[in-house]
Amino acid sequence: MKPLQLTFLAALAAFTLALTACGSGSDVPDGVVAVVDGTEITQKQLDELVEQAKNTYEAQGSEFPRVGTPEYQNVQKQYVAFLVQREAFEQEAEERDIEVTEKEIDKEVEKFIDSRFEGKVKEFEAALKAQGFTREALRETLRNSVLAQKLFDAVTTEIEVPPADVLAYYQQNQSQYST
């Protein structure tokens, strides 16, 4: 994803969080970690993502943060933010009549296997299994990525940035573009 796209998506996520009730007060029922425009995000959804993360850590030989530690709480916060953003994107896509087809997801899966596993399906499937990740979970992740890109395209279609503005931004932020 391009830096401008990441910036846009991060800003959209922050905006989404500002409009969302997240775990504070009585607006969020028991067993729910957030509410996005009336849609509840459950503790179970959060627990499933945390469990996937734990499996990924273990598959990479890393220790997963212990429950109750600041690191564990940070993981939870990141996943709540992800779930909120995902739901906000779904709602915005519905309002804009944006859909992601199975064919588009299939294409992304193929690209993923080609780029990460040189097209070797057996290696890909072994890696999924080792990390406790299913093909369906990957498809959902890739679907979210395609949806985010389509939303980005939809909201930026008519935006034009003059070359002088691009140059000015670059000159003010040159330190971010050096190695």
Side-chain angles (χ1 to χ4, degrees), residues 13-109:
F15 176 73
T16 299
L17 284 173
L19 297 177
T20 306
C22 285
S24 61
S26 61
D27 293 344
V28 180
D30 288 341
V32 174
V33 295
V35 179
V36 181
D37 196 23
T39 301
E40 295 177 350
I41 297 173
T42 66
Q43 181 69 47
K44 181 180 179 197
Q45 289 171 291
L46 175 60
D47 292 345
E48 288 170 356
L49 283 179
V50 171
E51 187 62 29
Q52 283 179 353
K54 184 177 179 183
N55 292 338
T56 300
Y57 271 68
E58 290 172 0
Q60 295 173 350
S62 300
E63 186 177 332
F64 191 73
R66 288 187 321 267
V67 175
T69 63
E71 293 83 9
Y72 183 84
Q73 291 172 349
N74 189 41
V75 168
Q76 284 188 311
K77 286 178 187 176
Q78 288 175 359
Y79 280 118
V80 169
F82 168 77
L83 290 166
V84 167
Q85 179 182 16
R86 184 176 73 181
E87 180 57 35
F89 282 9
E90 290 292 338
Q91 291 177 10
E92 185 65 23
E94 187 174 322
E95 285 182 29
R96 293 176 178 271
D97 293 324
I98 295 174
E99 294 181 8
V100 177
T101 66
E102 290 299 313
K103 187 175 182 177
E104 289 170 316
I105 299 170
D106 291 343
K107 182 179 175 184
E108 289 301 310
V109 170

Side-chain angles (χ1 to χ4, degrees), residues 117 120-132:
F117 299 94
K120 299 173 184 166
V121 176
K122 288 187 180 193
E123 285 183 23
F124 159 72
E125 290 176 351
L128 283 180
K129 185 177 181 180
Q131 294 188 21

